[in-house]
Each structure stands twice: as C-alpha cells, then as structure tokens.
C-alpha cells in the first residue's frame, strides 16, 4: 500500500513570496490533515478535511495560509505572502474511517529567507 | 498553552537496557494517547497507543503506561536497540476534538552500542 505522498520535499523562498505544497493521501482515506512542525517542537494542526469539507481550521493563519481539497483526494496548502517565521516542516497526514491512527507523509521542509 | 509536554528533550541509553520516555498532559478531556517515532527526513510513524480506559498496552518491545490521576504516560522500550534511535512524540486526542491530535515537543532517543 502506497503511503502519503508530498511534494516538493524542500523549498527555499524569500519572504513575501508565495509557495504551495501538495499532498496525496493514502487511497481511501477520507480524512486529511496539514500540520506545521517548527524546529524543536511537535507538529501543530493547521487544518483538517473530511472528504472535501473543512472540519477544523481554527489554527490556520487565514490571512496568509489557504488550503483546499478538491474532489476529496489531493490537497494543496498555500502560503501567500510568506514570512520568516513560516520556516518549518509541513506535514500531511491521512486517516481512514474511525481508526485513531494518522499516517504521515515525509513532509516538505520550507526555508524562508 | 502546551497541553502535552515532554520535558526531556533528549535521552541516551545503552543498547540492551530499558528506555523510558515520559509525557505529561494537562487536559483531563483527553481520552486517547499515541506515540509516534520520527527518523530524520521522514514523517512520524505510529508506534503504539492507549485508550484512557486502560492503564497499560503492550506490543512486543514497546509498552505504554497511563496514569490518569497524575495525567502522565510513559513509553518503555526493552531491550533498546540501535534502530530505536529517533525522536519520539506523544500525542493526545480530546473527546470533542474530531480526531484532532495535540503533540508534545518530542524526545530525541539515542541508543549507544
């Protein structure tokens, strides 16, 4: 079974530029999560989708971050404009049904200069 | 507001001995707890979990203990192996959290030969 796929793996941009990350969850997983992991901290939930609907985006900085999950499969997370403090690893995870376990992708490491 | 805390940023253990990783939480509404393991440049992978109705769960070399009155859980690895060297995150889920996980900061475990 293929795992959660993310791209790109690494991205370096200058502040005020925009960037987008892509995630393809495990086939059949209806729930998709985006996390931000700053160095030395644990992952922090940004947004949760159930199929193509948003369940929780309470910690998403909506003035600069946006996310969508068209057709309830792939998802994109965008930052526009980026700030220095957005430097982090962005993790995508998915979950099937009522199982507790979330399966994580390898992450995208973003560096904002 | 750090609801899940791992107070030891790092731990070094001799190969073959027991590794004990600790995690404290403050929210009494958490009802399910998970441990994830993370290697460099990879996403976290699920290791073991425990429901709040139990006080122990065992899977091979890994055992998780939950002390609800103390709001404390621990992960025991015995015997420790070099491949166990990684960052370990504990995570907690709230009853009304819609499967939202709150992560601790992580503990870097190093197993010395």
């Amino acid at each position: 079974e293929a795992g959660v796929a993310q791209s790109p793996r690494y991205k370096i941009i200058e502040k005020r530029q925009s960037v987008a990350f892509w995630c393809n969850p495990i086939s059949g997983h209806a729930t998709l999560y985006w996390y931000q992991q700053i160095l030395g901290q644990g992952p922090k939930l940004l947004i949760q989708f159930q199929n193509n609907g948003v369940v929780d985006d309470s910690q998403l900085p909506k003035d600069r971050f946006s996310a969508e999950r068209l057709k309830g499969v792939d998802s994109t997370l965008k930052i526009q404009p980026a700030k220095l403090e957005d430097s982090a690893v962005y993790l995508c995870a998915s979950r099937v049904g009522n199982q507790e376990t979330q399966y994580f992708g390898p992450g995208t490491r973003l560096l904002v200069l | 507001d750090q609801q899940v805390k791992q107070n030891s940023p790092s731990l070094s253990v001799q190969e073959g001995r027991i590794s004990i990783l600790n995690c404290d939480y403050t929210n009494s509404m958490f009802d399910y707890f998970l441990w994830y393991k993370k290697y460099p440049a990879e996403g976290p992978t699920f290791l073991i979990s425990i429901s709040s109705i139990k006080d122990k769960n065992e899977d091979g070399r890994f055992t998780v203990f939950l002390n609800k009155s103390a709001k404390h859980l621990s992960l025991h690895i015995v015997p420790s192996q070099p491949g166990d060297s990684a960052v370990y995150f504990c995570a907690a889920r709230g009853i009304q959290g819609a499967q939202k996980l709150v992560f601790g900061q992580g503990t870097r475990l190093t197993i010395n030969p």
Side-chain angles (χ1 to χ4, degrees):
Chain A
E1 180 182 73
V4 176
Q6 290 188 248
S7 68
R9 293 296 309 275
Y10 304 92
K11 190 74 176 179
I12 301 174
I13 62 172
E14 295 188 350
K15 60 184 180 183
R16 291 187 289 273
Q17 286 187 323
S18 62
V19 64
F21 312 127
W22 173 82
C23 173
N24 181 235
I26 294 173
S27 177
H29 285 201
T31 309
L32 184 146
Y33 307 82
W34 282 102
Y35 289 86
Q36 179 192 59
Q37 185 182 7
I38 293 172
L39 188 64
Q41 299 181 19
K44 184 187 83 171
L45 179 69
L46 292 175
I47 189 167
Q48 176 186 346
F49 291 94
Q50 180 72 22
N51 295 309
N52 60 351
V54 176
V55 174
D56 185 348
D57 63 356
S58 58
Q59 297 191 89
L60 186 74
K62 298 180 186 65
D63 58 333
R64 298 184 301 105
F65 286 65
S66 64
E68 61 182 10
R69 192 184 183 198
L70 301 176
K71 301 180 182 178
V73 181
D74 293 7
S75 177
T76 56
L77 176 69
K78 297 179 182 178
I79 308 175
Q80 181 179 9
K83 292 186 176 181
L84 297 177
E85 58 261 36
D86 298 332
S87 294
V89 176
Y90 291 84
L91 294 162
C92 179
S94 68
R95 181 177 62 84
V96 63
N98 290 322
Q99 281 191 11
E100 303 294 346
T101 305
Q102 297 181 20
Y103 296 88
F104 284 82
T108 296
R109 184 176 297 276
L110 174 67
L111 179 60
V112 182
L113 301 175
Chain B
D1 177 24
Q2 190 72 29
Q3 297 187 69
V4 179
K5 295 182 182 181
Q6 295 175 254
N7 293 317
S8 298
S10 63
L11 177 67
S12 186
V13 174
Q14 199 79 14
E15 181 179 358
R17 308 293 286 267
I18 184 171
S19 295
I20 301 177
L21 296 96
N22 294 303
C23 179
D24 297 294
Y25 61 96
T26 57
N27 190 339
S28 58
M29 297 299 286
F30 288 143
D31 71 339
Y32 198 84
F33 303 89
L34 305 89
W35 283 94
Y36 280 82
K37 175 180 178 179
K38 185 181 184 304
Y39 292 119
E42 295 183 12
T45 55
F46 170 74
L47 191 57
I48 192 169
S49 62
I50 188 167
S51 166
S52 60
I53 62 173
K54 295 184 176 180
D55 56 14
K56 177 182 175 181
N57 188 28
E58 191 172 354
D59 183 3
R61 297 186 298 114
F62 303 92
T63 303
V64 56
F65 295 92
L66 175 62
N67 183 332
K68 285 182 63 179
S69 61
K71 294 190 178 69
H72 177 84
L73 65 156
S74 61
L75 173 68
H76 292 210
I77 307 173
V78 56
S80 300
Q81 299 175 355
D84 296 330
S85 295
V87 177
Y88 290 78
F89 293 98
C90 70
R93 189 205 73 175
I95 296 172
Q96 298 176 343
Q99 304 298 334
K100 172 181 174 178
L101 294 181
V102 179
F103 284 82
Q105 310 97 306
T107 296
R108 181 176 301 277
L109 175 65
T110 302
I111 306 300
N112 302 307

